[in-house]
Structure formats: structure tokens, C-alpha cells
Amino acid sequence: TAREPVLIFLFGATGDLARRKLYSALYRLYTRDQEFAVIGLARRTHTDETYRDLINDSLPSEVGQRKHFLERFYYRRLDITRPESFASLSTFCEELDARYHLHGNRIFYLSLAPCFFAEAAKQLKKSGLAETKGWKRLVIEKPFGHNKESSKELNDSLLHAFNENEIYRIDHYLGKEMVQNIEVLRFANPIFEAIWNRRYISNVQITLSETLGVGDRANYYDQTGALLDMVQNHIMQLLTLVAMEPPVRLETNDVRYEKVKVLKAVRPMNIHNVTEQIVRGQYSRGIDANRERLRGYLDENNIRSDSETETFVAAQFMIDNYRWQGVPFYIRTGKRMSEKATQIVIQFKKLPKNPYFHNVNHVGPNLLVIYISPDEGLSLKLNVKETGETGNTIPISMKFRNNALAMENMQDAYERLIADCIKGDSTNFTRWDEVAYSWEIVDSIVDSWKKRHVPVDYYEAGSMGPVSADELLEKNGHHWWPLM
Ligand code: BG6
């Protein structure tokens, strides 16, 4: 589908996300002939010139042709709570529409503190900005509520101004190359689809590990924690992509329908299984790979010294459907771990009978590894004959891996997602019912943690998490495969 010209209202234009991700994504779209103009909106005072300087500073240094790109950006000061702020934009946006031939197409991108999402949508409706002769779309960043109830309230307020099919809820993991490749890997390769089930798969392991600590996001993070920050959205999305049934067609709603079915089948936690199936961790003092000392979470700036917020979660999810009965989906994510990596390991079942018992090497299981970041690729671990006459088997890995350098020239997640939004393709955004079911799972965990007063297990900063995260798998005779 062609990408049409568009006027983008960027709320939170001076914020962290805009500077880290959005301007460079827009720059790359610009170099690929996307027609657009942007009205940057925030509370601070800026002129168009100082705003353009800020954008300029946030672009990578090697970027050329900046002048024409920057000229499409305009700044207006905006106070979300004041209707006059919105009203004053209407003549200006008509002007930009005409100047850049944007056909009245509008994207309202809310890169704001979540407490302003509902108000922004309300004011967009009231001011008439959301009434346009072209199409209109609302892009909304996470977190989408803090439990099912609040997310429903937020959703209801968005629905006063936009239809569900105009709402693009961002989960930036869905914009990652290898996340989008999971579907192709599964559904374009019959050899995998044939064995993608409980008969052949022993367990699935999803790791999203980070080396950074809480950084300067203490206010947000201490109230949120790893479960809400990473599991409710990114991890649940990866899990559904691995577990879903083949969609009838690769159309937006067919794909999302299959994803929702997985979320519906995830077994909720309760006070009986929550301590057996989930680990809450928090980092304490430690050292990093360069032997530099790392502070513990409780010593970080602006963190309460008695904070019980988890910075790590490991869990065993069970999916109660025909395909996955009895197959554990292990997930883990945390701050201040030893490596920054996102990877999924599919571990296949053992040999039904081992004819290689005389082997000096242990015959390991077949593993399919999906590397999502920092490298992108796949590997398949197989056993082959050792060269010579020993009669032994040895493991080999068949790999397809893009190195980080090659990837820099490729699209990044935000660029892909903004391009999809301009095309009107919401497949890689989360539909309301996905959000709601995912909250149901997470609410069941929060609830059970509260009722059982589950404390955090400490892990050293720079490690792969608390010992209890290893024990979680050992109980089933499994272990975490090291990041590969
Ligand atoms: C965000 C979380 O959604 O994802 C952050 O709020 C986290 O806490 C980030 O650091 C990780 O994203 P990525 O793309 O760097 O793996």
C-alpha cells in the first residue's frame, strides 16, 4: 500500500522518546520520500528555530540533507489541560495542509506521560482537530493503563474521539525485524509448522535481558516494576507470536484474532501457583563485565530505600489449548543483568531412545534460537557425526545472523511502525482485546503477589538473576540455555 502525505501532531516533542527514536525514524522515512509536516507540541517555550536545533542535535552525526528535512518541523507550545491551546492550532494546521498538500491526513502521536493520554484525546475531539477531510489516526505509547480496569477507562475515553481501527497502540517490539520474522519462519516453512507443538517441543524460553539499571526513570519505574514494564506488553506479545495458530489470512484482524486466542488460553496465576511459577527479583550491588562496581536498586537515585519493586521477573506460563498442553513457556526479563539481549529458544524433545549411549559427548536436544537483538538471526542446533572413526556425535549450529554493523543501515522498529501507521496497517500494533487479556494475566499475578506478600529475591547486579529463577526450571528438569 502506498504511503500518503500526512500532518503529524507530535505531543511530547521535546521528550526523551522523541529525541532518542522518533526524529531519526522520521528522518529515514523522509529519505525514503515520505511527504509530511510535523507540529511539535510540548509545554516548554521554543521557537521553530530552537525546536529544529533540538531535532538536529538528536539526529546521528552522519545524516545529510538536514535543511529540507528540518524545515518541515514547526513548534507550538501546548498545555494539554487548556482547550485554548488546542483551538489555536486549527488555522495553522489548515495552512500546513495546503502548503504541503497533505490532503487533511492526520496522525496524532501521543508520546506523553500516560496521565495525559485521555485528556489529549478529549481535547482533540472538542477542538475539532480530529475532524478532518482526510484520514486520522491516534498513536499511543505505553503504558496503556496500569491494570485491566484503568486500561478500560483509558480505552473508553479514547473511543469518544477515535474508532478502534484508528487507534495504534505501540509496542515497539512488534516493529523489530526478527519479531516480524517469527511469523514468516513459522508459516513459510512447513518443516517447522509440522513440529511446532507439544509432541515435539519440550519448552520455550524467552529472555529479554538488559544491562542498564533504572537510570533516571526512577519515578516511573519504581511505581511500575518489571512485570508491568516488560511482561504485560513485550513478553506477552512475543509469547503469542510463538504460540499462535496459523491465521487464515495474513490480514490484520485474522492475525490479531489468533493472538487473542493465545492470551485467552494462558493459565492465570493464583495464590497457590504464584510462588511456584513466578520469581520476583531485585538487583543488589554487583559488578559489570568490566569489573566496575554497580549500585544496588535501593541505592539508586530517587528510589525509596525500602522499595519492594521488582526489577526482574522469571515465570513459567502454561497455555491451555491442544497445541501447547504441558509445554512450559519460560520467560525472564530484568534490569542490570549480565548482557543486553533478546532471544527466544525453542527446545525440542529428547531422542525417544538414545542409540548413542556409548558417545563420549552427551547428545543434546535440537534447539532453534531466534535472535532478536542485538544480533538478528536464527540458529538451529543439530547433532552430527564427528569426523573420523570415533563414532561420536558432536553438536553443530546452522546460523543465519546479521551483525550489528550491517543492521545500522536498515530500518529500525520505530521507522517501521510509523510507516505502517501511515499506510493504515495496524497488524503490528495491539488491538484493545489483546491489551485487555494481557492485563487479566498480569492482574492475576499482581493480585496473588499481594495476597501472599511475596517478597523480592535479590540478585547481584551484573548477573543473570536470582537463583530462584534457575530453580524454577530445574523443578521440571530444564535449565536456561545461556545467551548464544
Ligand atoms: C521499554 C521499557 O518498553 O523497553 C524499558 O519501558 C526498556 O524499561 C525498553 O528498557 C527495552 O527496549 P529495547 O528495544 O531496548 O529492548
Side-chain angles (χ1 to χ4, degrees):
T1 344
R3 285 190 265 120
E4 293 176 34
V6 60
L7 177 60
I8 302 175
F9 293 69
L10 180 53
F11 293 79
T14 56
D16 186 56
L17 181 76
R19 281 182 290 137
R20 271 191 310 119
K21 299 279 183 189
L22 303 183
Y23 296 127
S24 42
L26 287 171
Y27 180 79
R28 282 191 297 268
L29 284 173
Y30 166 77
T31 60
R32 295 199 290 123
D33 299 325
Q34 175 64 46
E35 292 292 338
F36 63 86
V38 174
I39 309 182
L41 300 158
R43 252 179 313 190
R44 292 180 211 185
T45 309
H46 271 290
T47 61
D48 290 345
E49 278 67 39
T50 59
Y51 175 48
R52 289 171 188 168
D53 288 344
L54 173 147
I55 299 169
N56 193 25
D57 291 343
S58 62
L59 296 178
S61 52
E62 76 281 5
V63 161
Q65 312 171 48
R66 293 174 181 229
K67 187 161 170 284
H68 291 301
F69 169 70
L70 291 171
E71 276 167 7
R72 303 159 173 263
F73 287 79
Y74 300 86
Y75 188 82
R76 289 293 180 270
R77 213 172 148 243
L78 175 114
D79 183 342
I80 302 272
T81 55
R82 299 177 67 146
E84 340 48 289
S85 287
F86 285 80
S88 67
L89 290 173
S90 56
T91 347
F92 184 52
C93 64
E94 301 286 335
E95 233 178 272
L96 291 180
D97 248 2
R99 191 179 316 160
Y100 292 96
H101 311 291
L102 303 175
H103 310 315
N105 298 331
R106 294 182 185 171
I107 288 180
F108 303 98
Y109 196 124
L110 306 187
S111 170
L112 290 169
C115 56
F116 296 123
F117 289 161
E119 187 62 23
K122 185 171 138 203
Q123 297 291 359
L124 283 172
K125 163 119 182 151
K126 251 180 140 178
S127 60
L129 288 173
E131 269 158 46
T132 173
K133 57 182 192 302
W135 45 256
K136 64 173 194 295
R137 289 169 196 150
L138 181 78
V139 178
I140 182 161
E141 279 291 336
K142 54 161 260 199
F144 201 87
H146 53 268
N147 55 21
K148 185 167 171 206
E149 199 186 327
S150 58
S151 71
K152 172 138 189 4
E153 263 169 40
L154 169 60
N155 202 53
D156 289 346
S157 53
L158 301 184
L159 288 175
H160 286 304
F162 295 86
N163 297 326
E164 169 62 34
N165 62 12
E166 293 169 331
I167 304 176
Y168 288 67
R169 299 177 194 81
I170 288 230
D171 182 316
H172 76 282
Y173 268 67
L174 294 181
K176 296 190 186 228
E177 177 69 14
M178 282 309 298
V179 173
Q180 298 192 348
N181 218 335
I182 296 174
E183 174 193 292
V184 182
L185 173 72
R186 290 191 50 198
F187 305 134
N189 296 291
I191 56 164
F192 289 130
E193 195 41 35
I195 55 175
W196 209 260
N197 57 48
R198 66 173 195 284
R199 272 188 292 278
Y200 301 100
I201 291 180
S202 149
N203 68 86
V204 174
Q205 305 184 4
I206 303 177
T207 301
L208 272 65
S209 62
E210 297 191 84
T211 47
L212 293 178
V214 57
D216 50 15
R217 292 163 83 216
N219 284 341
Y220 158 76
Y221 197 84
D222 203 38
Q223 288 175 37
T224 310
L227 181 70
L228 274 57
D229 187 46
M230 300 293 276
V231 180
Q232 188 271 336
N233 37 55
H234 310 320
I235 292 211
M236 283 302 165
Q237 285 294 327
L238 296 186
L239 183 140
T240 55
L241 290 170
V242 173
M244 75 185 199
E245 296 299 314
V248 178
R249 280 164 303 189
L250 287 178
E251 283 169 18
T252 306
N253 278 328
D254 294 314
V255 173
R256 289 160 142 198
Y257 173 70
E258 295 304 339
K259 290 170 73 185
V260 166
K261 275 167 52 190
V262 175
L263 294 167
K264 270 170 116 164
V266 172
R267 195 180 301 166
M269 299 287 167
N270 55 45
I271 52 166
H272 307 293
N273 62 12
V274 78
T275 48
E276 278 157 41
Q277 294 188 14
I278 308 217
V279 170
R280 308 180 66 208
Q282 188 187 81
Y283 61 87
S284 56
R285 229 173 282 167
I287 46 171
D288 69 8
N290 303 321
R291 310 208 61 77
E292 298 286 336
R293 280 186 201 188
L294 298 168
R295 272 194 266 183
Y297 182 69
L298 300 180
D299 297 325
E300 299 276 20
N301 295 338
N302 300 323
I303 297 292
R304 289 171 295 128
S305 60
D306 59 349
S307 171
E308 292 260 316
T309 301
E310 79 284 348
T311 62
F312 175 97
V313 175
Q316 168 187 334
F317 286 114
M318 301 305 290
I319 301 175
D320 285 327
N321 63 18
Y322 268 50
R323 187 185 285 262
W324 295 116
Q325 200 54 238
V327 180
F329 279 68
Y330 302 114
I331 63 98
R332 60 178 167 170
T333 182
K335 300 275 182 207
R336 279 283 186 245
M337 293 172 68
S338 56
E339 265 178 82
K340 163 85 183 160
T342 302
Q343 93 177 17
I344 301 176
V345 180
I346 315 289
Q347 177 178 338
F348 292 93
K349 288 198 166 162
K350 287 198 294 223
L351 296 172
K353 176 184 171 298
N354 183 3
Y356 301 100
F357 52 86
H358 58 274
N359 203 339
V360 293
N361 299 323
H362 167 72
V363 181
N366 295 132
L367 301 178
L368 175 67
V369 185
I370 305 172
Y371 306 99
I372 294 169
S373 81
D375 283 7
E376 298 182 338
L378 295 172
S379 78
L380 183 60
K381 195 165 171 197
L382 303 171
N383 299 299
V384 298
K385 178 182 167 298
E386 190 175 45
T387 313
E389 291 172 19
T390 62
N392 285 333
T393 64
I394 50 162
I396 56 148
S397 252
M398 290 171 45
K399 283 188 186 156
F400 143 67
R401 222 158 149 163
N402 285 327
N403 68 33
L405 198 67
M407 276 155 30
E408 263 176 40
N409 304 322
M410 297 182 3
Q411 280 182 311
D412 99 318
Y414 272 95
E415 181 188 352
R416 271 188 213 104
L417 293 176
I418 297 172
D420 280 357
C421 175
I422 297 173
K423 282 188 283 193
D425 180 355
S426 55
T427 315
N428 288 314
F429 296 79
T430 45
R431 199 169 66 182
W432 160 244
D433 45 356
E434 289 175 62
V435 178
Y437 280 113
S438 175
W439 272 123
E440 272 184 24
I441 300 162
V442 166
D443 286 354
S444 77
I445 299 170
V446 174
D447 228 48
S448 318
W449 274 348
K450 272 197 194 130
K451 287 191 184 128
R452 290 280 302 258
H453 303 288
V454 178
V456 288
D457 291 343
Y458 295 101
Y459 62 99
E460 275 178 30
S463 72
M464 279 309 278
V467 184
S468 44
D470 296 331
E471 292 164 353
L472 181 76
L473 276 65
E474 280 161 19
K475 282 190 285 224
N476 301 334
H478 299 145
H479 62 84
W480 291 109
W481 292 96
L483 296 173
M484 286 177 257

